Amino acid sequence: MKKNIFMYVIFILVMTLFTSKVSALEYINEKYVNANGIEITEKQKENLENLGFTEFEIETMDQEEFDNNKNLDAVLVAQTDKYYKTIVIYPSEISTYSLNKNFISTTTEISKEEYENSDENLISPLANTNGYTETNYKKMTTTIAKVNNSYFRYKNTLAWKKLPATRSYDIIGIGIDSTVSGVSSSKYYRTTAEIDDSAQQLCTFETYSSVQAWELSGSGYAATFKVPSDTTTRKVTSLTTEMYFNVQKLTNTTIKTLNAYGDYKHSQLTVDASVGAGVSIGTGGISFDASVSASIVEKFDSMSTAQATWTGTW
């Protein structure tokens, strides 16, 4: 009997180990340890936070990104958080709606309280049809950081409260004012997905850094990327996308205001990878040039930008 109890306890411990979610930052021997086993000192964590990195981004940061940012002395001088609710009506079943343009999509900006108190995701069938209505929520954070008291970094992060049904090509970007330009060598993109692997009975983080197309213009930077999809045994349970770059002055006169216009476009119907070639970015956010047909443009949602503003002298 005692042997059976002992074996049962061992079984429970093993199952807990292999089915538990990836933990957040752990504090061990006066250092933080993230999901990739990277040791982070208090000062390094403070540096990362001052650059605009969220707790989740620090938790899932890989060695290369950590090494490139850990010792940068920064001050977070501007941050804007915006919350969005999107309702999409798909009039046909999921196997065919990618071919159907007759859908209705409405995105509205909501309060932090409504976002936090909302259901993660609602999918409801449409009466007398094989279509459905989807309601989802997302948060966008745009920041400006002053680095080493000499230059500025713009950053934009989009986090889904729960993933939407369509996983095609999305776009994240930041528009800039005409007084500055982006430094192309500093551009960075990362999407981090939490994966529930039923075959391995564990949850892990996976990072995706491949960009289908970069739009690098005098009015901002934008990245078009493939949204990770589920497989038979692997399910994406959370998703966060970030991008950032440094800016440099284009004038010899003193700059007293800087603006970063964060934006994101989600493809609510399947689109081809080539859409990235027609992306534009500016102070009004992400748009498409004349090479992209209206029928393709209509497949993307439309959100208000998250504008971060700094005032001072540079």
Side-chain angles (χ1 to χ4, degrees):
M1 179 67 177
K2 289 182 179 180
K3 181 178 179 180
N4 289 340
I5 294 175
F6 175 77
M7 293 302 295
Y8 176 76
V9 171
I10 293 297
F11 173 77
I12 293 299
L13 289 174
V14 170
M15 290 304 294
T16 300
L17 173 65
F18 283 97
T19 59
S20 60
K21 295 171 75 66
V22 179
S23 62
L25 285 171
E26 296 182 356
Y27 194 69
I28 303 173
N29 296 328
E30 299 183 348
K31 289 184 178 180
Y32 294 94
V33 180
N34 79 354
N36 291 313
I38 300 172
E39 294 186 346
I40 306 171
T41 67
E42 291 273 8
K43 176 58 177 174
Q44 291 168 340
K45 184 172 183 289
E46 180 182 352
N47 289 344
L48 296 174
E49 291 171 339
N50 287 338
L51 286 165
F53 289 104
T54 65
E55 186 84 2
F56 178 80
E57 290 167 343
I58 298 172
E59 177 189 349
T60 57
M61 188 173 288
D62 63 20
Q63 190 69 56
E64 182 179 4
E65 186 178 17
F66 174 70
D67 289 341
N68 289 338
N69 292 280
K70 63 182 180 181
N71 294 322
L72 295 179
D73 184 14
V75 177
L76 190 63
V77 296
Q79 175 173 327
T80 296
D81 298 312
K82 284 199 173 183
Y83 305 86
Y84 306 89
K85 175 182 179 180
T86 300
I87 300 175
V88 189
I89 300 176
Y90 295 100
S92 59
E93 61 186 6
I94 194 167
S95 62
T96 60
Y97 74 68
S98 61
L99 304 177
N100 193 318
K101 294 183 292 184
N102 298 318
F103 73 103
I104 300 173
S105 172
T106 304
T107 298
T108 56
E109 187 178 332
I110 61 175
S111 66
K112 179 181 179 180
E113 291 72 24
E114 182 177 351
Y115 175 85
E116 292 179 341
N117 294 328
S118 64
D119 292 328
E120 288 189 347
N121 187 280
L122 295 175
I123 296 181
S124 305
L126 293 175
N128 302 319
T129 75
N130 54 4
Y132 64 92
T133 299
E134 179 186 53
T135 303
N136 56 59
Y137 301 84
K138 48 189 178 286
K139 173 185 177 181
M140 186 160 61
T141 300
T142 304
T143 61
I144 301 175
K146 189 172 187 179
V147 186
N148 294 336
N149 204 33
S150 61
Y151 63 92
F152 289 84
R153 173 182 287 183
Y154 292 179
K155 185 173 183 295
N156 191 22
T157 297
L158 192 287
W160 291 90
K161 192 164 187 181
K162 191 170 183 181
L163 288 183
T166 301
R167 316 277 182 84
S168 188
Y169 288 91
D170 283 7
I171 309 162
I172 187 170
I174 305 173
I176 61 179
D177 294 321
S178 60
T179 54
V180 298
S181 66
V183 179
S184 61
S185 60
S186 68
K187 70 182 185 299
Y188 184 87
Y189 155 85
R190 169 168 70 117
T191 288
T192 303
E194 186 173 359
I195 307 293
D196 185 353
D197 191 328
S198 60
Q200 300 294 325
Q201 294 187 322
L202 53 79
C203 292
T204 60
F205 290 123
E206 290 191 358
T207 298
Y208 304 83
S209 57
S210 177
V211 174
Q212 183 64 33
W214 276 102
E215 167 61 16
L216 309 176
S217 72
S219 54
Y221 286 5
T224 301
F225 62 97
K226 181 70 173 68
V227 181
S229 300
D230 299 337
T231 66
T232 304
T233 60
R234 293 158 56 81
K235 181 180 180 181
V236 179
T237 58
S238 73
L239 193 66
T240 299
T241 297
E242 63 171 294
M243 60 94 67
Y244 54 82
F245 56 89
N246 302 333
V247 297
Q248 58 189 1
K249 293 177 65 174
L250 289 180
T251 175
N252 292 325
T253 61
T254 299
I255 294 177
K256 296 184 178 181
T257 303
L258 290 173
N259 295 289
Y261 305 87
D263 199 8
Y264 188 95
K265 282 196 175 296
H266 167 62
S267 54
Q268 298 166 122
L269 300 176
T270 302
V271 296
D272 189 82
S274 61
V275 70
V279 170
S280 299
I281 180 71
T283 57
I286 299 167
S287 59
F288 299 94
D289 61 31
S291 67
V292 182
S293 67
S295 63
I296 299 299
V297 174
E298 291 172 355
K299 293 183 178 183
F300 287 86
D301 66 359
S302 180
M303 299 162 42
S304 58
T305 61
Q307 179 180 341
T309 300
W310 167 84
T311 56
T313 56
W314 182 28

